[in-house]
Amino acid sequence: MKDLNVIVERELANVEGEPTAQQLIEALMVAVRELQGDLEPAKGERKLYYFSAEFLMGRLLRANLINLGLLDEAEALLAGYGTTLAEVEEAEPEPSLGNGGLGRLAACFLDSIASLGLPGDGVGLNYHYGLFRQDLSHGIQEEHADPWIAPQSWLVDTGRAFWVQLRGQHLLAKVYDVQIPGYQNGVCNQLHLFDVENPAEPPAEGIDFDKQDLAGNLTSFLYPDDSDDAGRILRVCQQYFMVSAGAQMILADLEAAGHALTELPEHVAIQINDTHPSMVIPELIRLLTERGIDFGTAVDLVQRTCNYTNHTILAEALEKWPVSYLETVAPQIVPIIKKLDELARERTDNPGLSIWDANDTIHMAHMDVHFASKVNGVAELHTEILETSTMKDFYDLYPEKFTNKTNGVTFRRWLMGCNEPLAQMLDDTIGCAWRTDANALEDLVQHVDEEELQNRFLGVKYHRKEELAKWLKDTQGVDVNPDAVFDVQIKRLHQYKRQQMNALYAIWKYRQIKAGVKPARPLVMIFGAKAAPAYTLAKDTIHLLCLLSELFANDPEVAPYLQIVAVENYNVSAAEHVIPAADISEQISLASKEASGTSNMKLMANGAVTLGTMDGANVEIVERAGEENAYIFGRSSEDVIDLYDTGSYHPWDYWRDPEVEPLVDFVVSPELLSTGDPASLSRLYKDFIAADYFMALLDVKDYISTKERCLADYENRNAWARKALMNIARSGHFSSDRTIAEYDRDIWHVNPELGQ
Ligand SMILES: *Cc1c(COP(=O)(O)O)cnc(C)c1O
């Protein structure tokens, strides 16, 4: 019988003196990997392969210890060395193999699939430098490579490999596995990450690299800068590399299990996470026909195997590739796509639904919808918008394919793992059932009026705010006051998420304070956001937030009341520090634009109150938490869709409002121009008044007044605690265990206990 302590001692046997945090982490990683290696994958007649270009896993030591039931043992072991897991885990590198919500969703899903005991593995790419590391020290975003693969990492070399024909070369795709243990159920599934044989070294500075050097750089970075053709073609190469190797692996597994290729759908379900893995459809058809199956049968087999998740209605995010790119990267699948287009045209004469359009552009999402069994949106509102607007013609053609699967998050990481004091409070109040069934949090409803519990919650929150304050001090030298309201907006920087509208609130508040209206309590506005390297306006918004942060900090009239904290290099680990400390969850996207959101769910489960628009999963959050326990503002999605359809939104009409104009004009005020970049600020300013594509000025007044009402309510501390407790109590629906059970029930049918 292997034992955590024994393995760790063996690993540390040659260490002289006290082991460092690094050495302790490495020894624990070896031990956990060995223990996981003895567990069995979930088995069944049918197995799921979850294809995703991104898996934003976060640190894995704590999560794996929780799932193995070894957290207490590890803490006891570390106590023997005079330290704690919280202290040493800061030395664990974070694999940032994702951009944001979509990649983090895939990671939560793998945890839930294993924890529900479902046979299902992830399939992705082993990016060596993942998403860039963000440096904000100069008041602008600077990007650096973030190498995460240390001598000890979570990767297990499987020795397996597949040849992929790409751009006229043959590249070997090596398979590395990351083990995915289930929650205390003896199951260990895998995340298979493909990689090139001889990866190049990271660039000495920045994130520029030779995009032509496929053998070295194919898997260097996640989503390489796609502002030029070389970057876009590299991205198509990555996608084809992933799906070709993945499809070969699936067929090899099928044959190794003794099944005929014609039995593919009986034994395999494939989920295509967004359009990035869509080429798996023509690639599987190609491989099947190459192995002697006729084209029509191959199409039928693949269609019964594949399913597609749509993550966005933003047109620019739905991938379309020029045929010439595919001719360059993988000419072998081009004739197959041509035939699929012809088949699609037999099903409908609507040219808007074609795969290969008149401009020789391939629409990946169209190929998915025509040739997948099920198509799902990720929140009720999002699926409804797909059905009635964005994909209406597809829905009319294939109504039976469409289904909703509202996103979820794993409560093992996002409550048990990141907020032990809150988890303990829940255990003491309602018992431990919620740890295996998040719906049991509902039992908390009976206790929300208890003053003692409200006070305990406020104590836990305060303690978490002190801890965040300490972490911010240690990592970026910032002092924050835990008595302040912690107002949190953490997510990728994008105009549709409207960080720029939150910045206008900050300007409004600053002007109030300068005019002598002092708030009852200090406000700390916490932002965590990376901008895509080529997304200029997003970087301009980061610059604006940095300038405002400095302006407030340096003004003795303002600093005691208002602070902006820009959390540098926002990632999963940062989220785990910020979320437990949050009072207000900012979910202020332009209605209809946020497909679901998942930080809204993490924050809800940690007792933050939502300040948001009726968008994405916010709708379902408010439905469950109760309108009186959230702060909702802004135009409805119907209104917004109507404004786009009629082209009748003009920002200058709103800018002229005497209450709005000074806020927008402040962006180019002498106060900011004196320290900021004039080109950047004037770009932002012009965008506000002349474009404002995501309508910040439409909702800004409603936003300000709703936020002020929210801050006023915060002062009734026990009433506020009751709202927070109601949010926690009703958050169980947003467990990814619920989401995965629904995917399995309606799409995958892999649960051996339910049968097919
Ligand atoms: C949850 C999460 C996201 C998604 O946040 P949204 O607000 O839903 O966009 C992005 N990045 C990280 C690191 C996360 O943990």
Side-chain angles (χ1 to χ4, degrees):
M1 225 354 236
K2 283 184 188 161
D3 175 279
L4 186 79
N5 282 280
V6 173
I7 304 174
V8 170
E9 268 173 41
R10 183 195 74 206
E11 287 297 304
L12 295 175
N14 297 324
V15 173
E16 284 171 31
E18 283 296 297
T20 61
Q22 183 70 34
Q23 287 165 328
L24 286 167
I25 280 288
E26 287 181 1
L28 281 164
M29 282 168 79
V30 172
V32 166
R33 269 204 331 250
E34 273 187 37
L35 294 168
Q36 288 175 164
D38 289 344
L39 303 178
E40 291 288 319
K43 291 199 180 73
E45 270 306 295
R46 198 167 196 233
K47 176 172 170 182
L48 163 75
Y49 293 86
Y50 194 88
F51 275 68
S52 179
E54 306 187 17
F55 289 91
L56 188 47
M57 301 300 285
R59 289 181 179 139
L60 288 173
L61 182 57
R62 178 184 295 272
N64 289 352
L65 286 168
I66 288 174
N67 283 10
L68 296 175
L70 292 174
L71 186 63
D72 291 342
E73 203 174 318
E75 288 285 15
L77 186 158
L78 289 168
Y81 290 100
T83 186
T84 62
L85 184 57
E87 256 178 74
V88 294
E89 76 185 333
E90 293 293 324
E92 182 186 344
E94 167 168 339
S96 283
L97 312 187
N99 276 292
L102 175 148
R104 186 51 233 171
L105 183 79
C108 284
F109 279 7
L110 294 184
D111 183 69
S112 286
I113 290 164
S115 295
L116 295 181
L118 302 180
D121 288 350
V123 178
L125 287 172
N126 188 34
Y127 308 101
H128 286 251
Y129 319 116
L131 185 58
F132 62 87
R133 182 172 57 74
Q134 179 194 54
D135 175 346
L136 294 177
S137 57
H138 300 105
I140 53 166
Q141 169 174 294
E142 292 171 326
E143 298 105 21
H144 301 284
D146 186 13
W148 66 276
I149 306 174
Q152 287 301 340
S153 80
W154 293 102
L155 298 171
V156 177
D157 187 348
T158 65
R160 294 182 90 182
F162 301 91
W163 286 103
V164 177
Q165 197 182 335
L166 196 73
R167 262 201 120 155
Q169 315 172 29
H170 287 269
L171 287 182
L172 194 62
K174 297 189 65 185
V175 189
Y176 292 90
D177 280 358
V178 177
Q179 302 156 322
I180 310 290
Y183 182 63
Q184 302 183 10
N185 63 357
V187 163
C188 189
N189 292 338
Q190 305 291 339
L191 164 59
H192 308 289
L193 298 175
F194 296 110
D195 202 352
V196 295
E197 253 185 305
N198 297 304
E201 292 295 313
E205 219 184 57
I207 52 171
D208 279 335
F209 62 100
D210 178 4
K211 290 169 184 161
Q212 304 296 333
D213 173 18
L214 282 185
N217 278 323
L218 184 75
T219 51
S220 287
F221 284 92
L222 168 77
Y223 279 21
D225 172 13
D226 56 4
S227 56
D228 62 11
D229 272 355
R232 281 193 288 269
I233 288 180
L234 181 57
R235 180 144 171 212
V236 179
C237 288
Q238 288 185 330
Q239 294 180 349
Y240 183 70
F241 184 76
M242 169 174 81
V243 301
S244 177
Q248 293 179 58
M249 184 182 70
I250 288 172
L251 296 184
D253 289 351
L254 187 70
E255 294 195 307
H259 302 303
L261 294 175
T262 48
E263 293 175 298
L264 179 73
E266 279 72 52
H267 301 292
V268 174
I270 291 176
Q271 193 66 36
I272 298 173
N273 191 31
D274 210 326
T275 53
H276 320 136
S278 303
M279 282 183 282
V280 74
I281 292 174
E283 179 64 4
L284 260 177
I285 294 171
R286 187 184 76 83
L287 293 170
L288 290 171
T289 52
E290 210 176 62
R291 287 159 172 72
I293 292 177
D294 70 84
F295 185 79
T297 306
V299 172
D300 175 62
L301 293 172
V302 170
Q303 167 130 13
R304 284 159 54 209
T305 304
C306 292
N307 308 284
Y308 159 64
T309 303
N310 175 282
H311 282 271
T312 181
I313 62 160
L314 298 183
E316 69 269 25
L318 286 174
E319 291 177 308
K320 300 187 261 300
W321 301 122
V323 172
S324 62
Y325 283 14
L326 296 183
E327 288 284 4
T328 306
V329 174
Q332 59 272 33
I333 61 167
V334 173
I336 293 169
I337 295 174
K338 185 80 207 167
K339 283 197 193 173
L340 292 178
D341 181 60
E342 286 160 15
L343 280 178
R345 286 171 194 273
E346 286 170 19
R347 299 182 191 176
T348 170
D349 51 18
N350 180 346
L353 305 189
S354 63
I355 296 170
W356 187 313
D357 75 11
N359 301 318
D360 285 335
T361 303
I362 309 293
H363 296 246
M364 306 311 270
H366 295 186
M367 185 166 68
D368 291 322
V369 180
H370 282 300
F371 293 100
S373 284
K374 294 284 179 185
V375 174
N376 75 283
V378 291
E380 285 170 10
L381 176 66
H382 170 60
T383 302
E384 186 192 312
I385 292 172
L386 289 178
E387 292 176 355
T388 59
S389 169
T390 332
M391 292 202 164
K392 179 178 186 308
D393 291 350
F394 274 115
Y395 178 64
D396 291 344
L397 183 62
Y398 305 120
E400 73 291 346
K401 287 193 184 192
F402 283 73
T403 174
N404 174 249
K405 296 289 163 276
T406 297
N407 283 168
V409 300
T410 170
F411 280 45
R412 290 169 286 278
R413 178 180 291 268
W414 295 110
L415 182 49
M416 278 184 231
C418 72
N419 206 344
E420 279 183 11
L422 185 62
Q424 190 61 54
M425 183 196 91
L426 293 170
D427 287 349
D428 294 346
T429 312
I430 56 170
C432 301
W434 66 274
R435 288 178 180 261
T436 44
D437 174 11
N439 287 314
L441 289 168
E442 181 78 30
D443 294 343
L444 196 64
V445 172
Q446 299 154 38
H447 301 276
V448 296
D449 288 313
E450 295 167 11
E451 209 173 314
E452 202 183 332
L453 181 68
Q454 293 168 358
N455 290 335
R456 179 162 175 194
F457 170 77
L458 293 173
V460 167
K461 188 60 86 177
Y462 188 81
H463 166 63
R464 295 314 312 254
K465 289 159 83 166
E466 286 180 317
E467 287 203 346
L468 176 60
K470 181 175 181 311
W471 181 76
L472 286 169
K473 181 75 179 167
D474 291 347
T475 54
Q476 46 190 98
V478 176
D479 287 296
V480 298
N481 173 2
D483 289 311
V485 184
F486 281 20
D487 168 36
V488 169
Q489 186 173 16
I490 43 173
K491 47 189 75 255
R492 282 302 289 256
L493 210 137
H494 199 292
Q495 286 179 294
Y496 86 78
K497 293 177 183 277
R498 296 199 294 191
Q499 283 97 346
Q500 72 277 27
M501 187 170 76
N502 202 348
L504 292 180
Y505 171 84
I507 292 170
W508 179 85
K509 195 76 178 172
Y510 166 81
R511 289 168 48 86
Q512 288 282 110
I513 295 168
K514 293 302 272 182
V517 187
K518 313 273 186 206
R521 183 189 296 267
L523 176 65
V524 180
M525 300 176 65
I526 299 173
F527 292 87
K530 287 179 184 174
Y535 190 173
T536 308
L537 279 168
K539 290 175 121 177
D540 292 339
T541 304
I542 290 179
H543 183 49
L544 173 65
L545 290 170
C546 290
L547 291 173
L548 290 171
S549 172
E550 202 180 86
L551 177 73
F552 301 170
N554 293 333
D555 187 332
E557 246 175 18
V558 177
Y561 300 103
L562 181 61
Q563 182 181 19
I564 287 182
V565 177
V567 177
E568 206 170 28
N569 195 38
Y570 176 63
N571 60 8
V572 174
S573 308
E576 287 164 355
H577 286 283
V578 173
I579 287 170
D583 293 313
I584 299 173
S585 165
E586 296 270 355
Q587 307 298 339
I588 61 177
S589 55
L590 175 63
S592 81
K593 296 296 178 188
E594 185 73 88
S596 163
T598 47
S599 76
N600 46 4
M601 302 168 183
K602 301 166 196 166
L603 285 154
M604 179 194 198
N606 282 271
V609 173
T610 303
L611 167 56
T613 50
M614 278 300 204
D615 199 15
N618 298 352
V619 177
E620 292 159 76
I621 286 176
V622 174
E623 200 173 285
R624 286 178 173 75
E627 266 178 67
E628 68 286 8
N629 299 311
Y631 293 85
I632 298 304
F633 69 94
R635 289 297 178 89
S636 69
S637 56
E638 291 100 322
D639 284 358
V640 170
I641 290 171
D642 201 51
L643 284 171
Y644 278 111
D645 285 348
T646 56
S648 50
Y649 176 68
H650 305 301
W652 51 89
D653 295 340
Y654 294 84
W655 171 59
R656 278 202 212 99
D657 184 309
E659 290 175 51
V660 175
E661 188 177 342
L663 309 181
V664 177
D665 291 359
F666 194 83
V667 172
V668 285
S669 62
E671 288 94 321
L672 295 184
L673 285 172
S674 67
T675 52
D677 171 16
S680 172
L681 293 171
S682 68
R683 242 188 333 256
L684 263 183
Y685 174 73
K686 283 187 197 138
D687 188 77
F688 268 127
I689 60 178
D692 194 25
Y693 186 74
F694 293 103
M695 306 181 187
L697 302 191
L698 177 71
D699 286 338
V700 69
K701 281 177 68 173
D702 195 6
Y703 175 51
I704 292 171
S705 60
T706 307
K707 192 154 167 172
E708 286 298 293
R709 180 163 59 83
C710 174
L711 291 172
D713 287 357
Y714 185 89
E715 293 310 310
N716 187 341
R717 301 304 292 126
N718 282 83
W720 181 271
R722 188 185 183 283
K723 289 180 203 288
L725 290 168
M726 279 301 292
N727 273 277
I728 298 169
R730 293 278 162 76
S731 65
H733 181 71
F734 302 101
S735 161
S736 46
D737 294 353
R738 187 269 312 152
T739 313
I740 289 302
E742 288 182 8
Y743 271 93
D744 186 57
R745 184 193 65 201
D746 299 335
I747 304 178
W748 302 334
H749 313 296
V750 296
N751 188 337
E753 279 165 30
L754 298 180
Q756 295 182 37

